């Protein structure tokens, strides 16, 4: 029965990665399978549901606070209550149900099974992404078939009809990049569980090879932000694991960057997107961020869950007309997840920072795996409490791994302390041992 729940979850996460908009009536198919998995878990082991609440109370509290805050800011902004209700269910309720179901599965099957399921779903999409990058017609046609079944928007259809950028079976190339960044975080957590964080200080080459594969996938789909995030991730990782090697690698990278300049220019001329920083997408990002900050300053209380930055473009356009690509504020959201979050919830959302901060060394270390994801969402609109619900599946596994590694580190620290006490007693001065023995003998007499 529990294996059926796991199978339904596997179907759900596969659809989430490869056919996210595929629906059966009002509900996406991925949600139908996930709810089926949750129903089985509730019937089979209801007690573990309560364990899940005990272990995941922080993130569930974040979701509850964000939902209530979103409703409050929406009321202040006179937003349509029907649309606000839809947003609460699509963002907060969906995330809470997802993390409860996935963490309960983690309690029974372990976090590796959940991570492996996600990586397998991404690998399936990646096969088509590579095929699309190589110009394989069948790879593009597969995405087009899913698009017709899912009733993709005209903007999304244009991507695979024009074959502008490889996207795998994801809804968009940017969403494929989001999945790639989540895969790095998931793989990092898996490897952290497989090694002793208290003792092991060596480089994990299996992790690095996996990250390089994900980096190649980001490159073939024309996504630059994951590559920047991975560069920062590698710098921090080597500083922690091999600081001596970092001192050698950094000067070499600086020399290589100078030598690579003409190569990047040639790639840019050939139309390789990751080598370009002056294409239509890159130009105007600073303007969009400036506009987003203007919106936040104009209404620090937030605009509510239905916030759309393009609605207010005309009010601020005169202040932006001399910046690069000012017309983009009329065409695109601000392309910065953190500004969008402040735009929706206002500065009150910052009250959640103490709750989400890591409370142990093991948890802090696992945050490192999310560095590429954090950098990626800085340049885009997807993220937690926005449109990325898959991160909560990964967080369910990461929370469990953090608890496990924290317990391991505490046990190891206790063992080391006990061993230290034994050694101190063994090498204590003979006089002290004699005095202690005499004192004890006197008491006995």
């Amino acid at each position: 029965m529990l294996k059926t729940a796991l199978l339904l979850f596997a179907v759900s996460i596969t659809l989430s990665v490869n056919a996210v908009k595929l629906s059966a009536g009002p509900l996406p198919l991925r949600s139908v399978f996930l709810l089926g998995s949750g129903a089985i878990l509730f019937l089979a082991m209801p007690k573990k549901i309560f364990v899940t609440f005990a272990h995941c109370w922080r993130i569930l509290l974040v979701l509850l606070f964000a939902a209530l805050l979103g409703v409050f800011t929406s009321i202040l902004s006179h937003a349509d209550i029907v649309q606000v209700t839809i947003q609460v269910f699509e963002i907060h309720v969906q995330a809470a149900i997802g993390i409860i179901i996935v963490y309960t599965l983690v309690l029974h099957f372990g976090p590796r099974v959940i991570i492996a399921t996600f990586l397998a779903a991404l690998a399936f999409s990646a096969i088509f992404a590579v095929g699309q990058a190589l110009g394989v017609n069948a790879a593009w046609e597969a995405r087009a078939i899913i698009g017709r079944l899912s009733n993709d928007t005209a903007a999304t259809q244009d991507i695979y009809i024009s074959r502008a950028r490889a996207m795998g079976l994801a809804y968009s190339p940017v969403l494929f990049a989001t999945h790639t960044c989540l895969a790095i975080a998931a793989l990092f957590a898996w490897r952290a569980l497989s090694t002793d964080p208290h003792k092991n200080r060596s480089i994990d080459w299996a992790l690095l090879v996996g990250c390089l594969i994900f980096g190649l996938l980001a490159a073939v789909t024309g996504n630059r932000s994951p590559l920047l995030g991975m560069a920062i991730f590698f710098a921090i990782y080597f500083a922690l694991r091999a600081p001596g090697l970092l001192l050698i690698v950094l000067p070499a990278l600086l020399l290589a960057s100078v030598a690579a300049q003409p190569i990047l220019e040639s790639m840019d001329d050939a139309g390789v997107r990751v080598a370009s920083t002056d294409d239509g997408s890159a130009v105007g990002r600073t303007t969009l961020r400036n506009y987003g900050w203007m919106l936040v300053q104009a209404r620090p209380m937030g605009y509510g869950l239905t916030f759309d930055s393009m609605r207010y473009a005309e009010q601020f356009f005169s202040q932006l007309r001399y910046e690069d690509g000012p017309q983009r504020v009329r065409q695109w959201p601000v392309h910065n997840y953190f500004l969008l979050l402040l735009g929706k919830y206002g500065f009150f959302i910052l009250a959640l920072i103490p709750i989400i901060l890591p409370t142990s060394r093991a948890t802090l270390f696992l945050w490192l795996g999310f560095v590429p994801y954090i950098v990626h969402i800085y340049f885009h609109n997807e993220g937690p409490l926005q449109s990325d619900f898959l991160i909560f599946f990964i967080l369910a596994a990461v929370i469990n791994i953090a608890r496990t590694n924290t317990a391991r580190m505490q046990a190891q620290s206790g063992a080391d302390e006990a061993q230290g006490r034994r050694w101190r007693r063994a090498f204590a001065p003979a006089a002290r041992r004699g005095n202690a023995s005499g004192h004890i003998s006197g008491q006995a007499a």
Side-chain angles (χ1 to χ4, degrees), residues 300-371:
M301 299 282 286
Y303 294 82
L305 295 176
T306 59
F307 171 61
D308 181 354
S309 63
M310 292 180 286
R311 293 179 189 170
Y312 309 93
E314 296 305 323
Q315 299 177 29
F316 294 88
F317 191 79
S318 61
Q319 302 175 49
L320 298 164
R321 64 180 182 274
Y322 296 115
E323 297 196 23
D324 290 335
Q327 70 281 359
R328 292 190 175 276
V329 301
R330 295 168 168 164
Q331 302 167 340
W332 303 102
V334 298
H335 273 67
N336 184 295
Y337 162 76
F338 302 101
L339 289 175
L340 278 175
L341 204 65
L342 289 174
K344 277 190 173 185
Y345 299 96
F347 283 99
F348 290 119
I349 197 69
L350 299 180
L352 290 174
I353 291 177
I355 300 176
I356 64 175
L357 286 176
T359 56
S360 67
R361 284 177 55 196
T363 307
L364 179 61
F365 182 69
L366 290 173
W367 270 54
L368 177 57
F370 287 94
V371 167

Side-chain angles (χ1 to χ4, degrees), residues 17 42-43 46-47 54 92 94 112-113 152 162 165 177 179 186 205 229 250 259 274 286 294 342 351 370 425 429 438:
V17 173
F42 183 78
L43 293 173
K47 291 183 179 179
H92 311 91
Q94 178 180 208
R112 290 187 181 92
V113 173
D152 282 346
S162 64
R165 291 171 62 186
H179 297 161
W205 294 105
L250 279 180
V274 293
T286 302
M294 288 178 183
L342 289 174
F370 287 94
R425 285 198 300 268

Side-chain angles (χ1 to χ4, degrees), residues 277-288:
T277 56
D278 58 357
D279 63 312
S281 176
V283 173
R285 288 292 179 95
T286 302
T287 303
L288 285 170

Side-chain angles (χ1 to χ4, degrees), residues 13 22-23 48 54 64 99 102 105 119 125 156 161 197 214 262 290 294 299 302 304 306 315 322 327 367 372 438 443:
I13 202 168
L22 196 61
S23 301
K48 286 197 174 180
L64 176 60
I99 201 163
V102 177
L105 286 169
L119 294 179
S125 180
T156 302
I161 291 174
F214 295 134
N290 291 341
M294 288 178 183
R299 191 174 179 85
T306 59
Q315 299 177 29
Y322 296 115
Q327 70 281 359
W367 270 54
Q443 285 183 335

Side-chain angles (χ1 to χ4, degrees), residues 105-166:
L105 286 169
V106 168
L107 289 175
H108 186 78
F109 294 100
R112 290 187 181 92
V113 173
I114 304 303
I115 293 173
T117 304
F118 170 67
L119 294 179
L122 177 59
F124 185 71
S125 180
I127 292 171
F128 290 90
V130 173
Q132 291 161 2
L134 295 174
V136 178
N137 288 329
W140 285 109
E141 185 57 30
R143 180 61 187 88
I145 291 172
I146 291 176
R148 288 192 290 271
L149 293 172
S150 305
N151 295 318
D152 282 346
T153 62
T156 302
Q157 291 178 35
D158 183 62
I159 300 173
Y160 51 79
I161 291 174
S162 64
R163 302 188 176 185
R165 291 171 62 186

